[in-house]
Amino acid sequence: MPRLCRYTGPMLFRITYHTEQHRSAARGMSRKAWNFCDAEKRGSFVAHDDGVQLVEQSQEVSELLISNLEETLKLARTLKIAMPEEGISLHHDFEAVFGDVGPCFVDTLVVAKERGWTAIIDDTALRLFATMDGISSAWSQVILQLARNQGVITQENYSTAVEAMLSGNYRYVSIDEETIRFEWEHGELPDRLGQFLDQLALPTNDKWSVAQLIGPSLLQIWGTSGGEDRCVEYASFFYRELSARIGTTAAAKLLDDAVSAAVARAQRNRRMSALPALLKSSSSINSPAMLAVDINKQVVEIVQATIGNVVKLAVQNCDAQLNC
Protein backbone atom coordinates (compact mmCIF):
# COMPACT_ATOMS: atom_id res chain seq x y z
CA MET A 1 0.00 0.00 0.00
CA PRO A 2 1.44 3.43 -0.92
CA ARG A 3 2.40 5.69 1.93
CA LEU A 4 -0.07 8.54 2.45
CA CYS A 5 0.90 12.03 3.41
CA ARG A 6 -0.88 15.36 3.35
CA TYR A 7 -2.07 15.98 -0.22
CA THR A 8 -0.36 18.75 -2.06
CA GLY A 9 -2.25 18.11 -7.64
CA PRO A 10 -2.70 16.55 -11.83
CA MET A 11 -3.76 12.96 -11.56
CA LEU A 12 -7.01 11.10 -11.80
CA PHE A 13 -7.92 7.57 -10.79
CA ARG A 14 -10.87 5.73 -9.34
CA ILE A 15 -11.24 3.29 -6.46
CA THR A 16 -14.23 0.94 -6.48
CA TYR A 17 -15.77 -0.68 -3.44
CA HIS A 18 -18.32 -3.42 -2.99
CA THR A 19 -19.52 -3.26 0.61
CA GLU A 20 -21.16 -0.61 2.75
CA GLN A 21 -18.10 -0.69 5.00
CA HIS A 22 -15.89 0.24 2.06
CA ARG A 23 -18.39 2.91 1.04
CA SER A 24 -18.34 4.49 4.50
CA ALA A 25 -14.56 4.40 4.61
CA ALA A 26 -14.37 6.01 1.17
CA ARG A 27 -16.72 8.79 2.18
CA GLY A 28 -14.59 9.38 5.24
CA MET A 29 -11.52 9.72 3.04
CA SER A 30 -13.35 12.15 0.75
CA ARG A 31 -13.42 14.68 3.56
CA LYS A 32 -9.63 14.94 3.45
CA ALA A 33 -7.05 15.71 0.78
CA TRP A 34 -4.07 13.39 0.45
CA ASN A 35 -0.94 13.04 -1.68
CA PHE A 36 0.93 9.90 -2.66
CA CYS A 37 4.15 11.70 -1.70
CA ASP A 38 4.47 13.45 -5.06
CA ALA A 39 4.96 17.20 -4.88
CA GLU A 40 3.62 17.56 -8.43
CA LYS A 41 0.28 15.88 -7.65
CA ARG A 42 -2.46 17.90 -6.04
CA GLY A 43 -6.22 17.44 -5.64
CA SER A 44 -8.85 15.85 -3.43
CA PHE A 45 -10.74 12.59 -3.06
CA VAL A 46 -14.46 12.79 -3.89
CA ALA A 47 -16.82 9.89 -3.13
CA HIS A 48 -19.73 9.01 -5.42
CA ASP A 49 -22.03 6.02 -5.94
CA ASP A 50 -19.52 4.04 -8.02
CA GLY A 51 -16.32 4.68 -6.13
CA VAL A 52 -13.89 7.34 -5.03
CA GLN A 53 -12.33 9.73 -7.51
CA LEU A 54 -9.24 11.87 -7.11
CA VAL A 55 -9.96 15.23 -8.72
CA GLU A 56 -6.77 16.82 -9.95
CA GLN A 57 -5.63 20.33 -9.19
CA SER A 58 -2.45 21.56 -10.81
CA GLN A 59 -0.06 24.18 -9.47
CA GLU A 60 -1.34 26.54 -12.18
CA VAL A 61 -4.91 26.09 -10.94
CA SER A 62 -3.83 26.72 -7.36
CA GLU A 63 -2.09 29.94 -8.40
CA LEU A 64 -5.18 30.96 -10.40
CA LEU A 65 -7.41 30.43 -7.35
CA ILE A 66 -5.08 32.56 -5.23
CA SER A 67 -5.10 35.25 -7.91
CA ASN A 68 -8.90 35.14 -8.11
CA LEU A 69 -9.08 35.48 -4.33
CA GLU A 70 -6.87 38.57 -4.49
CA GLU A 71 -9.16 40.11 -7.12
CA THR A 72 -12.19 39.24 -5.01
CA LEU A 73 -10.70 40.97 -1.97
CA LYS A 74 -9.95 44.07 -4.05
CA LEU A 75 -13.57 44.18 -5.21
CA ALA A 76 -14.89 43.50 -1.70
CA ARG A 77 -13.03 46.53 -0.37
CA THR A 78 -15.04 48.77 -2.71
CA LEU A 79 -18.41 47.51 -1.44
CA LYS A 80 -20.50 48.97 1.35
CA ILE A 81 -20.42 46.73 4.41
CA ALA A 82 -23.72 45.93 6.12
CA MET A 83 -23.13 45.43 9.83
CA PRO A 84 -25.40 43.21 11.99
CA GLU A 85 -27.59 44.91 14.56
CA GLU A 86 -28.12 43.88 18.14
CA GLY A 87 -31.18 41.90 19.09
CA ILE A 88 -31.21 39.46 16.18
CA SER A 89 -30.39 35.82 17.01
CA LEU A 90 -30.08 32.66 14.93
CA HIS A 91 -31.08 29.04 15.43
CA HIS A 92 -29.33 27.69 18.53
CA ASP A 93 -27.82 24.75 16.58
CA PHE A 94 -26.13 27.18 14.24
CA GLU A 95 -24.72 29.20 17.10
CA ALA A 96 -23.38 26.01 18.68
CA VAL A 97 -21.65 24.83 15.49
CA PHE A 98 -20.31 28.09 14.06
CA GLY A 99 -20.10 30.37 17.08
CA ASP A 100 -16.48 29.47 17.81
CA VAL A 101 -15.38 29.29 14.17
CA GLY A 102 -15.61 32.97 13.35
CA PRO A 103 -18.08 35.84 13.48
CA CYS A 104 -18.28 36.09 9.69
CA PHE A 105 -20.55 33.03 9.44
CA VAL A 106 -22.94 34.28 12.11
CA ASP A 107 -22.85 37.91 10.97
CA THR A 108 -23.64 37.03 7.35
CA LEU A 109 -26.84 35.23 8.27
CA VAL A 110 -27.80 37.81 10.92
CA VAL A 111 -27.60 40.59 8.30
CA ALA A 112 -29.64 38.54 5.81
CA LYS A 113 -32.23 37.67 8.45
CA GLU A 114 -32.78 41.16 9.83
CA ARG A 115 -33.02 42.77 6.37
CA GLY A 116 -34.89 39.98 4.61
CA TRP A 117 -32.08 39.60 2.06
CA THR A 118 -31.05 36.49 0.16
CA ALA A 119 -27.68 35.24 1.37
CA ILE A 120 -25.25 34.17 -1.38
CA ILE A 121 -23.54 31.09 0.08
CA ASP A 122 -21.45 28.45 -1.64
CA ASP A 123 -21.33 26.17 1.39
CA THR A 124 -24.08 23.52 1.47
CA ALA A 125 -24.05 23.13 5.25
CA LEU A 126 -24.33 26.87 5.77
CA ARG A 127 -27.28 27.09 3.37
CA LEU A 128 -28.95 24.25 5.30
CA PHE A 129 -28.67 26.17 8.54
CA ALA A 130 -29.97 29.28 6.79
CA THR A 131 -33.05 27.34 5.67
CA MET A 132 -33.62 26.08 9.22
CA ASP A 133 -33.76 29.72 10.32
CA GLY A 134 -36.08 30.78 7.51
CA ILE A 135 -33.35 32.69 5.66
CA SER A 136 -33.44 32.68 1.86
CA SER A 137 -30.15 31.63 0.28
CA ALA A 138 -28.63 30.72 -3.08
CA TRP A 139 -25.23 29.71 -4.36
CA SER A 140 -23.15 32.15 -6.39
CA GLN A 141 -23.79 30.49 -9.77
CA VAL A 142 -27.42 31.60 -9.53
CA ILE A 143 -26.23 35.23 -9.48
CA LEU A 144 -24.06 34.58 -12.52
CA GLN A 145 -27.01 33.04 -14.37
CA LEU A 146 -29.24 36.01 -13.55
CA ALA A 147 -26.52 38.41 -14.69
CA ARG A 148 -26.16 36.55 -17.99
CA ASN A 149 -29.90 36.25 -18.59
CA GLN A 150 -30.36 39.97 -17.96
CA GLY A 151 -27.46 40.94 -20.22
CA VAL A 152 -25.23 42.24 -17.44
CA ILE A 153 -22.48 39.81 -18.48
CA THR A 154 -21.94 37.97 -21.77
CA GLN A 155 -22.24 34.23 -22.29
CA GLU A 156 -18.46 34.18 -22.79
CA ASN A 157 -17.98 35.77 -19.36
CA TYR A 158 -20.42 33.29 -17.86
CA SER A 159 -18.66 30.30 -19.44
CA THR A 160 -15.32 31.55 -18.13
CA ALA A 161 -16.77 31.84 -14.61
CA VAL A 162 -18.25 28.31 -14.77
CA GLU A 163 -14.89 26.98 -15.97
CA ALA A 164 -13.20 28.64 -12.98
CA MET A 165 -15.73 27.05 -10.62
CA LEU A 166 -15.01 23.60 -12.05
CA SER A 167 -11.26 24.20 -11.84
CA GLY A 168 -11.73 25.25 -8.23
CA ASN A 169 -13.35 21.87 -7.43
CA TYR A 170 -16.77 23.29 -6.61
CA ARG A 171 -18.95 20.35 -5.65
CA TYR A 172 -22.13 21.61 -7.34
CA VAL A 173 -21.75 23.25 -10.76
CA SER A 174 -24.66 23.46 -13.18
CA ILE A 175 -24.12 23.28 -16.95
CA ASP A 176 -27.14 24.57 -18.89
CA GLU A 177 -28.22 24.21 -22.52
CA GLU A 178 -27.25 27.79 -23.45
CA THR A 179 -23.68 27.23 -22.29
CA ILE A 180 -23.16 23.93 -24.11
CA ARG A 181 -24.71 25.26 -27.31
CA PHE A 182 -22.59 28.43 -27.15
CA GLU A 183 -19.38 26.45 -26.69
CA TRP A 184 -20.32 24.04 -29.50
CA GLU A 185 -21.18 26.82 -31.94
CA HIS A 186 -18.04 28.88 -31.29
CA GLY A 187 -15.59 26.04 -30.73
CA GLU A 188 -12.72 28.36 -29.80
CA LEU A 189 -11.90 26.59 -26.52
CA PRO A 190 -12.37 22.82 -27.05
CA ASP A 191 -10.71 22.02 -23.73
CA ARG A 192 -13.34 24.06 -21.89
CA LEU A 193 -16.16 22.33 -23.76
CA GLY A 194 -14.60 18.98 -22.89
CA GLN A 195 -14.51 19.99 -19.24
CA PHE A 196 -18.21 20.86 -19.35
CA LEU A 197 -19.01 17.52 -20.99
CA ASP A 198 -17.00 15.70 -18.31
CA GLN A 199 -19.22 17.39 -15.74
CA LEU A 200 -22.40 16.32 -17.56
CA ALA A 201 -21.18 12.72 -17.82
CA LEU A 202 -20.61 12.27 -14.07
CA PRO A 203 -22.39 9.15 -12.75
CA THR A 204 -24.05 11.15 -9.98
CA ASN A 205 -25.99 13.32 -12.45
CA ASP A 206 -29.70 12.80 -13.05
CA LYS A 207 -29.91 11.42 -16.60
CA TRP A 208 -33.24 13.07 -17.34
CA SER A 209 -31.74 16.46 -16.47
CA VAL A 210 -28.99 15.87 -19.03
CA ALA A 211 -31.61 14.79 -21.59
CA GLN A 212 -33.52 18.03 -20.91
CA LEU A 213 -30.34 19.92 -21.72
CA ILE A 214 -29.93 18.23 -25.12
CA GLY A 215 -33.52 17.95 -26.37
CA PRO A 216 -34.63 21.61 -26.12
CA SER A 217 -31.34 22.68 -27.75
CA LEU A 218 -32.17 20.49 -30.74
CA LEU A 219 -35.53 22.25 -30.96
CA GLN A 220 -33.81 25.64 -30.92
CA ILE A 221 -31.29 24.64 -33.57
CA TRP A 222 -34.03 23.16 -35.81
CA GLY A 223 -35.62 26.58 -36.08
CA THR A 224 -32.43 28.25 -37.37
CA SER A 225 -30.96 28.47 -40.86
CA GLY A 226 -29.78 25.04 -42.01
CA GLY A 227 -31.48 23.65 -38.93
CA GLU A 228 -31.81 20.01 -39.99
CA ASP A 229 -28.14 19.58 -40.93
CA ARG A 230 -26.99 21.44 -37.83
CA CYS A 231 -29.25 19.26 -35.68
CA VAL A 232 -27.59 16.16 -37.13
CA GLU A 233 -24.17 17.67 -36.32
CA TYR A 234 -25.24 18.56 -32.77
CA ALA A 235 -26.76 15.14 -32.07
CA SER A 236 -23.70 13.42 -33.58
CA PHE A 237 -21.43 15.57 -31.43
CA PHE A 238 -23.26 14.59 -28.25
CA TYR A 239 -23.43 10.90 -29.17
CA ARG A 240 -19.71 10.83 -29.98
CA GLU A 241 -18.61 12.70 -26.86
CA LEU A 242 -20.95 10.88 -24.47
CA SER A 243 -20.02 7.49 -25.95
CA ALA A 244 -16.38 8.20 -25.12
CA ARG A 245 -17.35 8.94 -21.52
CA ILE A 246 -20.24 6.61 -20.63
CA GLY A 247 -20.32 4.07 -23.48
CA THR A 248 -22.40 3.81 -26.65
CA THR A 249 -25.38 2.05 -25.05
CA ALA A 250 -25.81 4.66 -22.33
CA ALA A 251 -25.20 7.48 -24.82
CA ALA A 252 -27.86 6.14 -27.22
CA LYS A 253 -30.33 5.83 -24.32
CA LEU A 254 -29.59 9.40 -23.27
CA LEU A 255 -30.21 10.73 -26.78
CA ASP A 256 -33.46 8.77 -26.94
CA ASP A 257 -34.47 10.45 -23.68
CA ALA A 258 -33.44 13.78 -25.25
CA VAL A 259 -36.08 13.25 -27.94
CA SER A 260 -38.66 12.71 -25.18
CA ALA A 261 -37.45 15.90 -23.51
CA ALA A 262 -37.83 17.75 -26.81
CA VAL A 263 -41.39 16.42 -27.12
CA ALA A 264 -42.22 17.59 -23.58
CA ARG A 265 -40.81 21.08 -24.21
CA ALA A 266 -42.58 21.42 -27.57
CA GLN A 267 -45.89 20.27 -26.05
CA ARG A 268 -45.61 22.83 -23.28
CA ASN A 269 -44.79 25.62 -25.74
CA ARG A 270 -47.69 24.63 -28.00
CA ARG A 271 -50.18 24.43 -25.10
CA MET A 272 -49.14 27.85 -23.84
CA SER A 273 -49.82 29.44 -27.24
CA ALA A 274 -52.90 27.45 -28.32
CA LEU A 275 -54.97 26.78 -25.19
CA PRO A 276 -56.07 30.37 -24.40
CA ALA A 277 -57.67 30.77 -27.85
CA LEU A 278 -59.26 27.32 -27.71
CA LEU A 279 -60.79 28.01 -24.31
CA LYS A 280 -62.22 31.32 -25.47
CA SER A 281 -63.72 29.88 -28.68
CA SER A 282 -65.17 26.73 -27.08
CA SER A 283 -68.96 26.80 -26.49
CA SER A 284 -68.89 23.73 -24.26
CA ILE A 285 -67.30 23.15 -20.88
CA ASN A 286 -63.99 21.49 -21.67
CA SER A 287 -61.10 21.21 -19.28
CA PRO A 288 -57.68 22.38 -20.51
CA ALA A 289 -56.44 18.80 -20.05
CA MET A 290 -59.03 17.48 -22.51
CA LEU A 291 -58.31 20.21 -25.03
CA ALA A 292 -54.59 19.49 -24.74
CA VAL A 293 -54.94 15.83 -25.76
CA ASP A 294 -55.05 16.57 -29.48
CA ILE A 295 -52.34 19.21 -29.17
CA ASN A 296 -50.01 16.80 -27.38
CA LYS A 297 -50.66 14.07 -29.95
CA GLN A 298 -49.91 16.37 -32.87
CA VAL A 299 -46.69 17.60 -31.27
CA VAL A 300 -45.45 14.05 -30.66
CA GLU A 301 -45.87 13.22 -34.33
CA ILE A 302 -44.12 16.41 -35.47
CA VAL A 303 -41.15 16.11 -33.09
CA GLN A 304 -40.64 12.40 -33.78
CA ALA A 305 -40.67 13.12 -37.54
CA THR A 306 -38.04 15.86 -37.12
CA ILE A 307 -35.89 15.68 -33.99
CA GLY A 308 -36.50 11.93 -33.58
CA ASN A 309 -35.33 11.16 -37.12
CA VAL A 310 -32.34 13.48 -36.72
CA VAL A 311 -31.19 11.62 -33.60
CA LYS A 312 -31.63 8.23 -35.27
CA LEU A 313 -29.61 9.40 -38.27
CA ALA A 314 -26.85 10.80 -36.04
CA VAL A 315 -26.52 7.55 -34.10
CA GLN A 316 -26.54 5.44 -37.27
CA ASN A 317 -23.90 7.62 -38.95
CA CYS A 318 -21.64 7.51 -35.92
CA ASP A 319 -21.98 3.77 -35.48
CA ALA A 320 -21.10 3.32 -39.15
CA GLN A 321 -17.84 5.26 -38.75
CA LEU A 322 -15.01 3.41 -37.05
CA ASN A 323 -13.44 6.61 -35.73
CA CYS A 324 -16.66 8.26 -34.53
Side-chain angles (χ1 to χ4, degrees), residues 203-214:
T204 52
N205 286 336
D206 175 62
K207 298 299 185 291
W208 178 245
S209 295
V210 179
Q212 287 179 304
L213 180 148
I214 302 171

Side-chain angles (χ1 to χ4, degrees), residues 80 82 108-109 111-120 134-137:
K80 181 180 178 180
T108 297
L109 293 192
V111 169
K113 183 176 181 179
E114 65 189 11
R115 290 167 170 79
W117 291 352
T118 296
I120 308 304
I135 301 170
S136 173
S137 67

Side-chain angles (χ1 to χ4, degrees), residues 13 51 139 141 153 164 185 219 226-227 240 243 259 275:
F13 68 91
W139 82 106
Q141 190 177 1
I153 63 174
E185 289 174 344
L219 284 176
R240 180 175 60 251
S243 293
V259 175
L275 277 179

Side-chain angles (χ1 to χ4, degrees), residues 189-200 237 241 245:
L189 295 172
D191 290 343
R192 182 165 74 185
L193 177 56
Q195 191 176 12
F196 292 166
L197 290 168
D198 289 341
Q199 179 74 3
L200 292 178
F237 156 76
E241 295 296 331
R245 291 167 171 81

